Amino acid sequence: MIYWKYDIILLLVTLCTRIANATDNSTRALNKILLDYDKKIRPDQEGPPTTVTIGVYVESLGSIRETTMDFSVTMFLRQTWTDPRLAHGGNEEVIFKGDDTEKFWYPDIFFLYEKNSVKHDVTIRNVGMRVRSDGEVFRSARLTVTLACNMDLYEFPMDSQNCDIFMMSYAYPTSELILTIPQTEVFVEPNITIPRFTLKGVKTRNTELVYSTGNFSCAQATLSLERQMQSYVLTVYVPNLLLVIIAWLSFWIDAEAAPARVALGVTTILTVTTMTTNIQETLPVVTYTKAIDIWQAACLIFVFLSLLEYAFANYLLVLQVKSQRTSYSIRKLDEDSQQTRKAPALSKIERNEDGNVTTYRPALAQKEPRLSSHQLDKLARIVYPGAFVLFNVFYWAYYLIN
Ligand SMILES: *[C@@H]1O[C@H](CO)[C@@H](O)[C@H](O)[C@H]1NC(C)=O
Ligand SMILES: *[C@@H]1O[C@H](CO)[C@@H](O)[C@H](O)[C@H]1NC(C)=O
C-alpha cells in the first residue's frame, strides 16, 4: 500500500519536471547562446543594415511652454528588430525585465533637440524585452523627454503648433542601421488631456539627415496641437471688451462732470495696461506681433481715444462758456457805452488818415464753436462702438477664417 503512494509521487515529480523542461527549453537554449554573445556587435554585422521598427505610445503630454518653447512627453518607446544570433528555436518567447535587458545588443536611439529626460525606475527600471524563437527582439522602454518645439506665435492664442519627436541612432549611420516608424505603430492614450491644447493627430515620417560625420536615418513623429482659446476668451478678450464698453459709457456722463469722466478714462487705461503686462509675462519675447498683442493694443487705443474725446469735449465746453460770457458782457458793455456815448470797452479803436474812427471787435467774441461738446459726445456714442465693431469684424475674420 505504502509503495503505491510513492509511485504516485514519483509520477507527479516526473510529470512536473517534464512540463518544466518543456517550458524552460527556450530559456535554456537562449542562455546557451548568451555564453558567447557579444553585445557590442550589431546583428548581421557583415550583412545588410539592421532595420529597427520604432513604435511610440504617447502616455501623457504636458507642460507645453511658450516661454521656453518646449514640451514634455511621457511615452513607451518600442523597438523591434531581428538578431539572427538570438534565434533559440524554443517553443515560446523569452521575456526579460529591467537590467536583464542589458545582456543584449540594442539600438542606441537618442532624441534630437532633447533638453532633459527622465528614465523611470519605480519599482524597477521600466524596460522590458521579448526574444522570439526566430530571433526577433521587441524592446519597450518608458521615458519622459522634454523636447524643443519651435513655435510660431503669430496667431497666438488662435494658433496650432506642430511639435516633433526626432529619433536617431547616435553611432550607426544609415549604412549600418535604418530606423522606420510606420504610421500604424503610433498610438496616443485615449482621453489624453493636455493643458490648454487639444491633440489633433500624430503623423510619422522617415527621413535621412546628412551630417559631416555621415548620413543618419531618422524617425520623426509630429504631434499636431491646437490651442484651446476658451481660457483666453474669459481671461483676456471679455475683460478687455468690458473695459472698452465702460469707456464708451463715459460719453453719457455730462461733460461738465470732469472728475467723473477723467477718473473713468484713466482707470480704464490703467486696467488695460496692467492686464497687458500680466499676459505678456507668460509669453516669450518674440520680435513679431502676436494676435493677442494686436487685440490688447487696439483696446488700449480705444480706451485712450475715449479719454482724448473727453479732453476735446471739455475744450469745446470751455469755448462755449467763454463765448457765452463774452457775448453777454459785450452786450452789457455796448448798452453801457450807448448810455455814456463812449466806445465799447471790448472794441479796438483806430483812427485812420481821414480822421474817421473805426472800431473792431475781437474775433473770438463773435465765434461760437461749430460743434458743441454735447454734440461731440452724441457723435462719439455712435462712432466709437461702430469703429470697435468694425475692428472686431476685421480682427476675427483675419484670425479665424484660415
Ligand atoms: C523545445 O521544445 C519543443 C517542443 O515542445 C521542441 O519542438 C523544440 O525543438 C525544443 N527546443 C529546444 C531548443 O530544445
Ligand atoms: C549622404 O547623402 C547624400 C545625399 O542624400 C549623398 O550625396 C552622400 O553621398 C551620402 N553620404 C554618405 C556617406 O553616404
Side-chain angles (χ1 to χ4, degrees):
M1 284 299 279
I2 273 204
Y3 293 111
W4 181 76
K5 267 187 187 165
Y6 279 125
D7 269 358
I8 284 193
I9 289 170
L10 204 67
L11 198 74
L12 277 174
V13 167
T14 41
L15 209 71
C16 283
T17 42
R18 277 258 176 95
I19 292 169
N21 273 351
T23 52
D24 215 20
N25 98 355
S26 329
T27 311
R28 277 191 299 142
L30 202 57
N31 277 339
K32 217 175 270 173
I33 289 168
L34 283 175
L35 287 179
D36 60 341
Y37 178 86
D38 190 352
K39 67 171 183 178
K40 294 191 292 295
I41 295 168
R42 76 166 173 91
D44 236 347
Q45 174 79 345
E46 262 90 62
T50 309
T51 303
V52 178
T53 308
I54 296 215
V56 168
Y57 184 98
V58 176
E59 187 190 323
S60 71
L61 244 172
S63 39
I64 304 165
R65 281 170 303 191
E66 290 80 28
T67 40
T68 45
M69 294 221 182
D70 54 22
F71 71 107
S72 60
V73 53
T74 301
M75 62 180 173
F76 296 97
L77 179 66
R78 295 160 175 175
Q79 302 156 61
T80 314
W81 69 94
T82 306
D83 193 340
R85 289 173 293 175
L86 295 179
H88 52 74
N91 49 359
E92 55 185 41
E93 55 185 26
V94 187
I95 298 173
F96 294 89
K97 61 156 176 38
D99 290 334
D100 299 341
T101 59
E102 295 293 330
K103 285 187 253 180
F104 302 91
W105 177 92
Y106 58 86
D108 56 338
I109 305 280
F110 80 104
F111 292 89
L112 208 59
Y113 311 122
E114 178 238 52
K115 290 185 173 178
N116 190 15
S117 49
V118 182
K119 272 192 298 187
H120 297 274
D121 40 18
V122 175
T123 60
I124 177 176
R125 246 186 89 193
N126 293 183
V127 186
M129 205 156 156
R130 271 183 246 153
V131 184
R132 274 189 6 190
S133 58
D134 60 353
E136 190 186 271
V137 185
F138 171 81
R139 187 177 191 272
S140 170
R142 183 165 168 269
L143 25 103
T144 301
V145 280
T146 303
L147 300 163
C149 175
N150 290 325
M151 297 183 192
D152 173 359
L153 297 172
Y154 279 100
E155 298 194 351
F156 181 91
M158 283 147 291
D159 56 335
S160 299
Q161 302 296 345
N162 286 332
C163 290
D164 294 305
I165 306 173
F166 291 101
M167 285 158 281
M168 263 170 73
S169 161
Y170 199 90
Y172 296 102
T174 314
S175 54
E176 301 279 324
L177 191 132
I178 294 172
L179 297 181
T180 59
I181 179 162
Q183 185 71 51
T184 50
E185 287 298 316
V186 176
F187 305 94
V188 177
E189 178 96 0
N191 308 325
I192 192 170
T193 50
I194 312 160
R196 293 180 288 126
F197 280 92
T198 38
L199 186 64
K200 288 278 145 190
V202 187
K203 279 219 180 77
T204 61
R205 219 158 73 100
N206 301 303
T207 48
E208 192 179 48
L209 299 183
V210 179
Y211 291 97
S212 59
T213 49
N215 295 354
F216 290 86
S217 176
C218 175
Q220 178 185 353
T222 308
L223 307 167
S224 300
L225 298 158
E226 194 180 82
R227 196 183 301 276
Q228 294 171 323
M229 73 160 304
Q230 292 96 304
S231 64
Y232 292 92
V233 168
L234 289 182
T235 56
V236 180
Y237 286 92
V238 169
N240 273 350
L241 177 76
L242 294 181
L243 287 169
V244 171
I245 291 174
I246 289 173
W248 174 48
L249 292 183
S250 75
F251 300 143
W252 270 272
I253 299 175
D254 193 353
E256 279 169 45
R261 287 191 64 167
V262 171
L264 202 61
V266 172
T267 316
T268 46
I269 287 181
L270 287 180
T271 317
V272 170
T273 316
T274 316
M275 282 178 60
T276 310
T277 319
N278 284 349
I279 293 295
Q280 292 300 328
E281 267 170 18
T282 65
L283 297 178
V285 182
V286 284
T287 49
Y288 49 83
T289 317
K290 300 179 284 293
I292 201 165
D293 297 340
I294 293 176
W295 172 266
Q296 291 188 318
C299 287
L300 187 63
I301 288 169
F302 269 95
V303 168
F304 171 73
L305 283 181
S306 85
L307 193 62
L308 203 67
E309 189 274 346
Y310 177 63
F312 197 55
N314 196 44
Y315 173 67
L316 289 180
L317 194 72
V318 169
L319 283 192
Q320 267 164 252
V321 171
K322 239 188 204 167
S323 78
Q324 275 164 12
R325 259 192 217 143
T326 45
S327 59
Y328 169 76
S329 52
I330 284 165
R331 244 184 288 122
K332 194 93 192 293
L333 283 168
D334 280 355
E335 282 162 17
D336 291 351
S337 59
Q338 267 162 15
Q339 282 165 9
T340 56
R341 300 189 179 273
K342 269 197 258 169
L346 258 164
S347 310
K348 243 181 169 177
I349 306 160
E350 264 180 27
R351 199 180 289 268
N352 59 12
E353 289 101 38
D354 306 341
N356 295 330
V357 174
T358 43
T359 57
Y360 299 98
R361 288 263 165 87
L364 183 73
Q366 283 142 0
K367 200 171 151 198
E368 271 263 350
R370 243 180 257 149
L371 191 71
S372 75
S373 74
H374 184 62
Q375 282 167 330
L376 181 68
D377 273 350
K378 263 188 160 173
L379 191 69
R381 282 174 208 172
I382 298 159
V383 173
Y384 183 84
F388 192 67
V389 166
L390 201 67
F391 160 72
N392 268 271
V393 168
F394 281 114
Y395 182 85
W396 296 109
Y398 181 82
Y399 284 110
L400 292 185
I401 307 171
N402 57 30

